[in-house]
Structure formats: structure tokens, C-alpha cells
Amino acid sequence: MTTTKLDLNQCNQLISKFEQVIKTPIKTPSSVYYTGVDLGTACIVLAVLDENYEPVAGSYRYANVVKDGMVVDYIGAIKIVRELKAELEEILETELVYAAAAIPPGTNELDSGAIRNVVEGAGFELTALLDEPTAANQVLNIENGAVVDIGGGTTGISILNQGEVVKVVDEATGGTHFSLVVAGSYKMSFDEAELYKRDTSKHKELIVVLKPVVEKIASIILRQINGYKVEGIYLVGGTACLGGIENIIEKNTHIPTFKPINPMFATPLGIAKSC
Ligand code: ATP
């Protein structure tokens, strides 16, 4: 069965519950907790699920310790994951033992080893290390389609056929390019542009300025999915938060394009579900 917009409702319910528990954690005791650790370029997210795989708590922090799937500040990454873990343990009044993590498509053995070491170095027992599109698909449940993960440095395009990942590519265009365009257009520093871009109240004006970059991403998607059966495009990753990005991609690819209510949380929740 192909994922439809209706099926995204389930994913959206999970994400919406996760957003709620980030603000107000659920302290009902559980026999076991599963933690998903998502080490992103812009943000580190921890998602905690209970014995029924329902979200009970979560936390995230913007950080610059990972770049395009490579841990560039190993000590800094361990410190942040350890702090987020301790913060959640205090709230839930329990020790978080098990965690899963994910690696971006094309990550080599050395980098995936570094991600493993960060999670274990922060005090978790790592139960699974999976690739990001497979993780995202744990909550998207796509049969025949493409997961397009628009991150910071890159855009990962993963094609799923009958629920299995059949092709993965990582292309060097992502949120950083968006920020460079914003910086140039508004005469801001890169850091100022990054913050300006994340402000959702600015998205309506920004989407006009950023349209050419989004169109470039759409052309990359079209090139990569050529020859595959792609019934829908599903956007995840921080840059997919940009309001209106899905309309431009749909218009340029002529393929129905969807995104969860918060595209940043699909992968961490999928990781936690795989724990
Ligand atoms: P990469 O795949 O390059 O390693 P990543 O998967 O680690 O990146 P994410 O954390 O998914 O990256 O996304 C980071 C990007 O998302 C950054 O460019 C950041 O500016 C952008 N971003 C985060 N929040 C928003 C938002 N609300 N609106 C627009 N862009 C956002």
C-alpha cells in the first residue's frame, strides 16, 4: 500500500505528541525507555519513547559539532548528548540505558564509528545504528516514493520501492546555501542569516528570495529519481521547515510532495522506534 496524505496523519500525530512531550514530559513509569539520538549538522535531538513506543520526552539543542554526518567536535558532541541525557533522566526520574542512532547516506566506516562512540561515550548502550532514510521511513511508512532530507550541507535523496531503500544519494546543496543567499540578499553575516532563516514568521518573504535555490533542489531530485517509480516526495530535515518549499518542489517535479508538520523530528522519532 502506498503512503497517502492520510497516512502522514499518523506520522503527524506522533510528531505532534513529541512536540507536546518536549514541553510537558509524561512521567508515567515504563518498564523500558527507547532513546533516538539524531546528531545533525545544526541540531542534536534526543527522542524518548516508552515501552509502547509512544513519545514521553524529548530535548534538542542547536550545535556545530557535526558537519555533513562527520563528527567535527567529538568532545563537544559527547558533552551535549550527555547533558541532554541527564536532563531527560532527571525529568523522567529514571536512567536512560538504550539508544539508537543514524548515519547519513554515504557515511564511511570511520564516521559511523565516531557517531557510535559519541552515543556510547555519553553513557548509552547502542542497540541500533541505521541509515537516516530508513529511520525516517519508520514514521513515514512510504512504499514507493522518495525521502528527500534537506539538511544543512547536503540534500539526501532516498528512493523506496515496496518499502525498501533502493537508491541513496547525497547532493551538496542544502540549508547552508539558503543562508548564503539570505546573507547576500539582506546584507547580513552568515550567522545572522541562519537565525533570520529559522524564524518561521519570515518564511513568506524568504520563500520568494529562496525560490531559485529550491528550484535547483527540485531539478536535482528530478535527475536522481529518473527511471524510478516515485509516487510521492516526502520532505524531512531542518531546511524542509521552510514554509512553502513543498509547493515549489511539487510544481517543478509534478510529483505530489508532502512534509510532516515538523520535518526535523521524523528522523529522530524513526531512530527511537528502531531502538
Ligand atoms: P546534513 O544532512 O547537511 O548533515 P543535517 O541533517 O544534520 O544536515 P538538519 O539538522 O536536518 O541537518 O538541518 C539543518 C538545516 O536546517 C540548517 O541549514 C538550518 O538552518 C535549517 N533549519 C533549521 N530550522 C529551520 C527552520 N525553522 N526554517 C528553515 N531552516 C531551518
Side-chain angles (χ1 to χ4, degrees), residues 8 13 19 22 30 32 34 37 44 50 93 102 106 112 114-115 122 126 143 169 176 186 189 220 224 241 251:
L8 262 194
Q13 273 171 18
E19 287 182 318
I22 289 176
S30 170
V32 64
Y34 305 107
V37 180
I44 293 182
D50 68 6
E93 295 175 11
S112 69
I115 288 173
L126 189 78
E143 280 287 311
V169 280
T176 302
Y186 288 78
S189 71
I220 291 171
Q224 292 297 350
C241 292
K251 193 160 175 248

Side-chain angles (χ1 to χ4, degrees), residues 10-23:
Q10 262 190 354
C11 163
N12 283 339
Q13 273 171 18
L14 190 76
I15 291 177
S16 152
K17 185 160 183 199
F18 182 55
E19 287 182 318
Q20 276 169 30
V21 301
I22 289 176
K23 288 187 206 130

Side-chain angles (χ1 to χ4, degrees), residues 39-43 62 66-69 104 132 149-155 170 174-176 179 194 197-200 203 237-242 264:
L39 295 168
T41 300
C43 196
Y62 282 97
V66 176
K67 210 162 172 29
D68 306 335
E132 283 177 354
D149 184 349
I150 317 177
T154 61
T155 293
D170 221 19
T176 302
S179 300
E194 261 293 313
K197 189 190 70 176
R198 283 187 214 151
D199 180 350
T200 47
H203 284 180
T239 301
C241 292
L242 188 71
M264 269 185 71

Side-chain angles (χ1 to χ4, degrees), residues 13-273:
Q13 273 171 18
L14 190 76
I15 291 177
S16 152
K17 185 160 183 199
F18 182 55
E19 287 182 318
Q20 276 169 30
V21 301
I22 289 176
K23 288 187 206 130
T24 317
I26 297 173
K27 295 184 194 174
T28 318
S30 170
S31 59
V32 64
Y33 290 94
Y34 305 107
T35 307
V37 180
D38 189 11
L39 295 168
T41 300
C43 196
I44 293 182
V45 187
L46 261 65
V48 186
L49 309 182
D50 68 6
E51 59 199 4
N52 301 314
Y53 291 94
E54 288 294 326
V56 288
S59 194
Y60 62 91
R61 193 176 303 168
Y62 282 97
N64 295 309
V65 292
V66 176
K67 210 162 172 29
D68 306 335
M70 208 171 82
V71 180
V72 290
D73 177 1
Y74 183 65
I75 303 295
I78 292 180
K79 186 170 174 283
I80 293 172
V81 177
R82 196 180 278 159
E83 283 171 6
L84 293 174
K85 178 177 185 278
E87 186 187 296
L88 293 167
E89 286 176 336
E90 199 182 326
I91 293 168
L92 294 171
E93 295 175 11
T94 188
E95 191 192 351
L96 298 173
V97 181
Y98 306 111
I103 47 171
T107 304
N108 64 30
E109 224 166 90
L110 204 64
D111 293 330
S112 69
I115 288 173
R116 171 186 293 275
N117 290 342
V118 168
V119 177
E120 291 179 342
F124 282 112
E125 192 177 307
L126 189 78
T127 59
L129 189 61
L130 62 161
D131 64 89
E132 283 177 354
T134 303
N137 205 33
Q138 298 299 309
V139 299
L140 294 168
N141 293 315
I142 302 164
E143 280 287 311
N144 298 305
V147 178
V148 176
D149 184 349
I150 317 177
T154 61
T155 293
I157 300 158
S158 316
I159 301 174
L160 291 118
N161 198 323
Q162 299 187 343
E164 295 296 323
V165 178
V166 292
K167 175 178 175 176
V168 241
V169 280
D170 221 19
E171 290 262 3
T173 302
T176 302
H177 301 82
F178 287 57
S179 300
L180 287 170
V181 171
V182 174
S185 307
Y186 288 78
K187 310 275 176 277
M188 287 175 179
S189 71
F190 179 83
D191 289 348
E192 282 167 342
E194 261 293 313
L195 290 179
Y196 194 84
K197 189 190 70 176
R198 283 187 214 151
D199 180 350
T200 47
S201 71
K202 303 282 192 298
H203 284 180
K204 227 175 178 166
E205 74 178 62
L206 280 177
I207 197 70
V208 181
V209 176
L210 294 171
K211 195 168 170 246
V213 199
V214 180
E215 284 173 343
K216 184 184 173 205
I217 289 182
S219 73
I220 291 171
I221 297 170
L222 269 182
R223 177 160 45 80
Q224 292 297 350
I225 65 175
N226 187 23
Y228 290 86
K229 183 182 175 189
V230 172
E231 295 168 348
I233 292 171
Y234 298 83
L235 305 179
V236 297
T239 301
C241 292
L242 188 71
I245 191 170
E246 66 281 19
N247 302 330
I248 299 175
I249 291 179
E250 180 168 291
K251 193 160 175 248
N252 282 266
T253 58
H254 304 287
I255 297 172
T257 302
F258 311 103
K259 67 177 186 185
I261 45 165
N262 189 334
M264 269 185 71
F265 291 152
T267 305
L269 285 166
I271 296 172
K273 277 185 94 171

